[in-house]
Amino acid sequence: MSSPYAKELEIAQLAVQRAAILTKRVFHEKAKGTVSKDDKSPVTIGDFGAQALIIAALKANFPADEIVAEEEAAQLRDDAPLRQTIWDLVSTTQLSDAAAESALGGAIKDEDEMLTMIDHGASKGGAKGRIWAIDPIDGTKGFLRGGQYAVCLALMVDGDVKVGVLGCPNLPVDDAAPLTGSMESGQTDEGKGCLFSGVLGQGATSRPLTTGSLAPEKKIAMKAITDIAAATFCESVEAGHSAHGDQAEIAKKLGITNPSVRMDSQAKYASIARGAGDIYLRLPVSATYQEKIWDHAAGDLIVREAGGAVTDIHGKRLDFSIGRTLANNKGVVAAPVGGHPQVLAVVQEVLSLK
Ligand SMILES: Nc1ncnc2c1ncn2[C@@H]1O[C@H](COP(=O)(O)O)[C@@H](O)[C@H]1OP(=O)(O)O
Ligand SMILES: [Mg+2]
Ligand SMILES: [Mg+2]
Ligand SMILES: [Mg+2]
């Protein structure tokens, strides 16, 4: 008998792999087609195209499942040139392996169906049933500058994350490669591109990102912390996304002297899960911002399955069961299980929560 969620994992990995072909094409071949969303954050033709391709694969294989995805098609409905550019990409992006491509259920028919697919991601989320969370490009700013970004997909069942997949086209294939935040454009793709997965109770893996069928996988595990002062911690590039000042103070109190590694996207979760870094701190900068479930679901599971603990600043597990945002949580503290209590204590001390 196959393991629980074997089919979901297989489809999710192939869908992320196919979407990453599209995002890489956008990066290398095209003007990125950047437009601004209502909240002023950037979105590119890559974000829309990748979301359409992932949702098409999910709809073909799991038609009854709900989907929470970051983007919506409204902007494309009244912008024919933008829509056409995205359709050109979506209609010509396939996995090079015919069996893998056919497992994803075949091509999207036309532009209209593409818009419909994008809008299938409008579920409100919640605590009941099977719900996928998609961030087609997480770290759009990193993507645009040739830094880190991630194609993110997770399956929640009754509010609990069961399967998580992160495609990180700009992370090194080598799990042991030293962590650097800056992998700027102009460098080649050689040795880069990693697909991370986790299934609840089954551990976490990494494998090279390919353009066809899945490459062989390796188990990944966080580094056990023996001396927290020797740890490396990761944080956002954007000072507006997490509190760099508080994070620096926490690191200092923990005796950490290594400079923080700044990178965009859930590549931070993947990097600590594979033991390339140790701690991910995301302390709130604003009293009102609610983290989105698609920015955390896959990374949270992959880190926990690799031997980590992930909580908010109050020490609560991230709660994916209440809608499209993590409305019951503030910030993120991710560290190896053995070191997490010590890190959390200092987080709370610095934020005066105790
Ligand atoms: N004020 C904010 N605080 C925390 N995260 C934010 C904030 N605004 C946007 N984000 C989201 O943080 C994620 C990137 O995190 P990081 O900086 O760690 O790479 C993005 O998904 C981004 O959303 P968006 O996709 O809308 O830009
Ligand atoms: Mg965005
Ligand atoms: Mg995101
Ligand atoms: Mg995004």
Side-chain angles (χ1 to χ4, degrees):
M1 216 187 84
S2 62
S3 1
Y5 300 109
K7 180 175 177 198
E8 287 82 355
L9 175 65
E10 163 104 6
I11 297 303
Q13 292 179 121
L14 290 173
V16 165
Q17 194 153 276
R18 182 171 70 175
I21 300 173
L22 184 144
T23 62
K24 289 176 69 169
R25 284 182 60 191
V26 172
F27 186 77
H28 289 297
E29 292 173 14
K30 296 249 182 188
K32 315 279 183 299
T34 311
V35 288
S36 235
K37 295 207 283 196
D38 293 347
D39 64 0
K40 303 281 185 283
S41 66
V43 58
T44 71
I45 56 174
D47 300 63
F48 291 116
Q51 179 162 321
L53 283 177
I54 293 172
I55 293 184
L58 296 180
K59 280 285 155 193
N61 282 280
F62 312 107
D65 292 2
E66 284 189 42
I67 300 169
V68 170
E70 180 181 1
E71 311 301 344
E72 56 185 27
Q75 253 176 314
L76 310 184
R77 291 188 193 277
D78 24 76
D79 188 337
L82 182 61
R83 189 168 69 230
Q84 177 67 52
T85 309
I86 297 165
W87 174 241
D88 284 347
L89 273 165
V90 165
S91 58
T92 56
T93 300
Q94 288 188 333
L95 290 167
S96 58
D97 180 83
E101 178 63 26
S102 113
L104 294 183
I108 298 175
K109 276 203 318 283
D110 53 26
E111 280 183 31
D112 266 355
E113 191 177 80
M114 177 181 80
L115 299 182
T116 307
M117 288 300 169
I118 291 172
D119 278 339
H120 278 312
S123 164
K124 291 187 165 26
K128 280 269 168 301
R130 289 171 48 108
I131 306 177
W132 295 84
I134 304 174
D135 193 337
I137 295 184
D138 179 38
T140 308
K141 288 181 178 166
F143 171 70
L144 289 169
R145 70 167 89 84
Q148 293 305 323
Y149 70 98
V151 178
C152 313
L153 180 57
L155 172 66
M156 300 168 300
V157 180
D158 297 336
D160 199 23
V161 187
K162 304 292 189 185
V163 179
V165 176
L166 292 174
C168 299
N170 288 340
L171 276 185
V173 171
D174 180 5
D175 291 321
L179 202 57
T180 59
S182 57
M183 297 171 71
E184 301 303 330
S185 54
Q187 298 179 12
T188 65
D189 282 346
E190 205 166 306
K192 290 190 214 164
C194 218
L195 184 63
F196 299 91
S197 308
V199 178
L200 189 65
Q202 296 176 31
T205 65
S206 84
R207 47 167 37 103
L209 199 56
T210 77
T211 55
S213 55
L214 297 174
E217 66 181 16
K218 283 195 293 207
K219 282 270 176 207
I220 54 170
M222 294 189 75
K223 259 189 301 195
I225 285 201
T226 43
D227 174 14
I228 218 140
T232 300
F233 86 92
C234 311
E235 61 185 354
S236 296
V237 175
E238 299 292 325
H241 293 176
S242 71
H244 286 167
D246 291 340
Q247 285 151 202
E249 197 180 333
I250 290 158
K252 196 167 161 212
K253 279 195 193 293
L254 288 166
I256 294 175
T257 51
N258 293 328
S260 74
V261 174
R262 290 185 178 165
M263 55 167 80
D264 297 282
S265 85
Q266 292 195 58
K268 293 185 277 298
Y269 282 113
S271 294
I272 66 168
R274 76 195 326 200
D278 301 291
I279 298 168
Y280 169 19
L281 295 176
R282 188 182 190 84
L283 304 201
V285 270
S286 116
T288 51
Y289 184 77
Q290 295 184 345
E291 296 285 345
K292 310 296 191 292
I293 62 170
W294 55 77
D295 284 328
H296 300 280
D300 170 85
L301 179 67
I302 290 168
V303 165
R304 288 186 294 113
E305 285 298 322
V310 183
T311 69
D312 72 359
I313 57 172
H314 300 292
K316 289 193 295 189
R317 283 271 307 273
L318 304 187
D319 181 357
F320 295 93
S321 75
I322 46 175
R324 290 172 67 90
T325 69
L326 296 171
N328 282 346
N329 296 109
K330 269 289 163 204
V332 177
V333 178
V337 167
H340 188 275
Q342 191 185 348
V343 176
L344 182 64
V346 174
V347 166
Q348 300 194 331
E349 185 189 327
V350 166
L351 298 184
S352 309
L353 296 175
K354 288 198 300 198

